[in-house]
Amino acid sequence: MSLTIDGKAALKAILEREDLFNRVKPADLSQAAVKLARKQLNAAGQGKDDLLALKAALGDDVFKKCLDTLTAHQVKLLARRLDPGAEEIQVNTGSSALRHVRAILSGSVTASAAPTEAPKATETAPKKNKYLGRKAFRTGR
Protein backbone atom coordinates (compact mmCIF):
# COMPACT_ATOMS: atom_id res chain seq x y z
CA MET A 1 0.00 0.00 0.00
CA SER A 2 1.31 3.38 -0.95
CA LEU A 3 1.87 5.95 1.77
CA THR A 4 0.62 8.77 -0.42
CA ILE A 5 -2.90 8.48 -1.69
CA ASP A 6 -4.88 10.64 -4.02
CA GLY A 7 -6.98 12.55 -1.52
CA LYS A 8 -9.23 14.15 -4.11
CA ALA A 9 -10.10 10.79 -5.60
CA ALA A 10 -10.79 9.35 -2.15
CA LEU A 11 -13.08 12.24 -1.20
CA LYS A 12 -14.82 12.06 -4.54
CA ALA A 13 -15.41 8.32 -4.08
CA ILE A 14 -16.86 8.86 -0.61
CA LEU A 15 -19.20 11.57 -1.85
CA GLU A 16 -20.30 9.67 -4.97
CA ARG A 17 -20.93 6.34 -3.21
CA GLU A 18 -22.95 7.29 -0.19
CA ASP A 19 -24.47 3.79 -0.12
CA LEU A 20 -21.04 2.29 0.65
CA PHE A 21 -20.15 4.98 3.17
CA ASN A 22 -23.45 5.12 5.04
CA ARG A 23 -21.64 5.33 8.40
CA VAL A 24 -20.06 8.67 7.42
CA LYS A 25 -22.36 11.21 8.99
CA PRO A 26 -22.98 14.71 7.66
CA ALA A 27 -21.29 16.08 10.79
CA ASP A 28 -18.11 14.18 9.85
CA LEU A 29 -18.17 15.64 6.35
CA SER A 30 -18.73 19.09 7.78
CA GLN A 31 -15.76 18.66 10.14
CA ALA A 32 -13.58 17.60 7.20
CA ALA A 33 -14.72 20.66 5.24
CA VAL A 34 -13.94 22.94 8.19
CA LYS A 35 -10.49 21.41 8.60
CA LEU A 36 -9.64 21.81 4.91
CA ALA A 37 -11.00 25.35 4.81
CA ARG A 38 -9.02 26.25 7.93
CA LYS A 39 -5.84 25.15 6.17
CA GLN A 40 -6.77 27.47 3.32
CA LEU A 41 -7.37 30.35 5.74
CA ASN A 42 -3.91 29.87 7.23
CA ALA A 43 -2.21 29.68 3.84
CA ALA A 44 0.05 32.61 3.08
CA GLY A 45 -0.88 34.96 0.30
CA GLN A 46 -4.63 34.83 0.85
CA GLY A 47 -6.14 38.28 0.45
CA LYS A 48 -9.58 39.67 1.09
CA ASP A 49 -10.89 38.65 -2.33
CA ASP A 50 -9.62 35.09 -1.87
CA LEU A 51 -11.32 34.80 1.51
CA LEU A 52 -14.57 36.22 0.15
CA ALA A 53 -14.49 33.63 -2.66
CA LEU A 54 -13.86 30.91 -0.07
CA LYS A 55 -16.79 32.21 1.97
CA ALA A 56 -19.04 32.14 -1.09
CA ALA A 57 -17.96 28.60 -1.94
CA LEU A 58 -18.39 27.20 1.57
CA GLY A 59 -21.38 29.17 2.73
CA ASP A 60 -21.66 31.53 5.67
CA ASP A 61 -22.15 28.89 8.37
CA VAL A 62 -19.11 26.78 7.48
CA PHE A 63 -16.96 29.86 6.98
CA LYS A 64 -17.93 31.26 10.38
CA LYS A 65 -17.15 27.90 11.95
CA CYS A 66 -13.72 27.96 10.25
CA LEU A 67 -12.96 31.40 11.67
CA ASP A 68 -14.09 30.29 15.12
CA THR A 69 -11.77 27.27 15.10
CA LEU A 70 -8.64 29.35 14.44
CA THR A 71 -6.32 29.89 17.38
CA ALA A 72 -5.69 33.39 18.69
CA HIS A 73 -2.25 33.43 17.06
CA GLN A 74 -3.67 32.35 13.69
CA VAL A 75 -6.41 35.01 13.83
CA LYS A 76 -3.86 37.70 14.67
CA LEU A 77 -1.73 36.65 11.69
CA LEU A 78 -4.81 36.67 9.44
CA ALA A 79 -5.80 40.13 10.66
CA ARG A 80 -2.27 41.43 10.04
CA ARG A 81 -2.27 39.87 6.58
CA LEU A 82 -5.61 41.48 5.67
CA ASP A 83 -4.81 44.82 7.28
CA PRO A 84 -1.06 45.42 7.70
CA GLY A 85 -1.63 48.95 8.95
CA ALA A 86 -4.09 48.01 11.69
CA GLU A 87 -3.61 49.63 15.04
CA GLU A 88 -2.24 47.40 17.77
CA ILE A 89 -5.43 47.66 19.82
CA GLN A 90 -7.43 46.19 16.93
CA VAL A 91 -5.37 43.00 16.75
CA ASN A 92 -3.73 42.57 20.16
CA THR A 93 -6.06 39.77 21.34
CA GLY A 94 -7.64 36.88 19.50
CA SER A 95 -11.18 38.17 19.97
CA SER A 96 -10.36 41.71 18.82
CA ALA A 97 -8.46 40.35 15.82
CA LEU A 98 -11.41 38.09 14.93
CA ARG A 99 -13.77 41.04 15.21
CA HIS A 100 -11.47 43.06 12.94
CA VAL A 101 -11.25 40.23 10.37
CA ARG A 102 -15.03 39.92 10.30
CA ALA A 103 -15.38 43.69 9.89
CA ILE A 104 -12.92 43.71 6.98
CA LEU A 105 -14.67 40.80 5.25
CA SER A 106 -18.10 42.36 5.73
CA GLY A 107 -16.86 45.59 4.16
CA SER A 108 -17.63 47.83 7.13
CA VAL A 109 -13.91 48.53 7.64
CA THR A 110 -11.39 49.13 4.91
CA ALA A 111 -7.86 47.86 5.25
CA SER A 112 -5.39 50.63 5.88
CA ALA A 113 -2.05 50.89 4.17
CA ALA A 114 1.04 49.56 5.85
CA PRO A 115 2.54 52.12 8.22
CA THR A 116 5.62 53.81 6.96
CA GLU A 117 8.58 53.53 9.23
CA ALA A 118 10.70 56.53 10.02
CA PRO A 119 14.27 56.19 8.80
CA LYS A 120 16.53 55.00 11.58
CA ALA A 121 19.44 57.13 12.67
CA THR A 122 22.76 55.71 11.67
CA GLU A 123 24.20 53.85 14.57
CA THR A 124 27.79 54.39 15.53
CA ALA A 125 30.04 51.39 15.51
CA PRO A 126 30.44 49.87 18.96
CA LYS A 127 33.68 50.72 20.67
CA LYS A 128 36.28 48.02 20.88
CA ASN A 129 36.88 46.56 24.28
CA LYS A 130 40.56 47.02 24.96
CA TYR A 131 40.51 44.26 27.56
CA LEU A 132 39.09 41.66 25.25
CA GLY A 133 41.78 39.18 24.33
CA ARG A 134 44.30 40.29 26.92
CA LYS A 135 46.26 37.57 28.59
CA ALA A 136 44.89 38.40 32.05
CA PHE A 137 41.36 37.56 30.92
CA ARG A 138 42.12 34.34 29.09
CA THR A 139 40.87 31.24 30.81
CA GLY A 140 43.26 28.77 29.22
CA ARG A 141 46.30 27.62 31.14
Side-chain angles (χ1 to χ4, degrees), residues 63-130:
F63 189 77
K64 285 179 186 176
K65 179 73 174 169
C66 292
L67 283 178
D68 290 340
T69 60
L70 293 176
T71 65
H73 179 70
Q74 291 169 336
V75 173
K76 288 178 191 178
L77 291 176
L78 180 63
R80 284 285 180 205
R81 190 175 347 127
L82 291 176
D83 188 5
E87 295 179 21
E88 185 61 33
I89 191 123
Q90 293 174 325
V91 294
N92 62 350
T93 64
S95 60
S96 64
L98 183 60
R99 193 176 322 113
H100 189 64
V101 167
R102 286 182 175 153
I104 289 173
L105 293 177
S106 69
S108 61
V109 173
T110 57
S112 55
T116 57
E117 295 182 20
K120 294 181 180 179
T122 57
E123 297 179 14
T124 60
K127 295 180 181 178
K128 286 190 170 185
N129 187 350
K130 63 182 180 179

Side-chain angles (χ1 to χ4, degrees), residues 8-57:
K8 286 183 182 181
L11 286 175
K12 191 181 273 189
I14 290 171
L15 294 174
E16 288 175 352
R17 299 291 311 264
E18 289 182 25
D19 56 328
L20 289 176
F21 297 95
N22 55 4
R23 305 262 181 192
V24 177
K25 298 176 183 168
D28 297 331
L29 292 174
S30 135
Q31 287 174 353
V34 167
K35 186 172 183 176
L36 292 172
R38 191 175 68 211
K39 284 196 165 284
Q40 190 65 25
L41 282 174
N42 290 331
Q46 299 292 317
K48 179 182 175 183
D49 296 332
D50 299 322
L51 295 181
L52 289 174
L54 183 64
K55 182 179 180 180

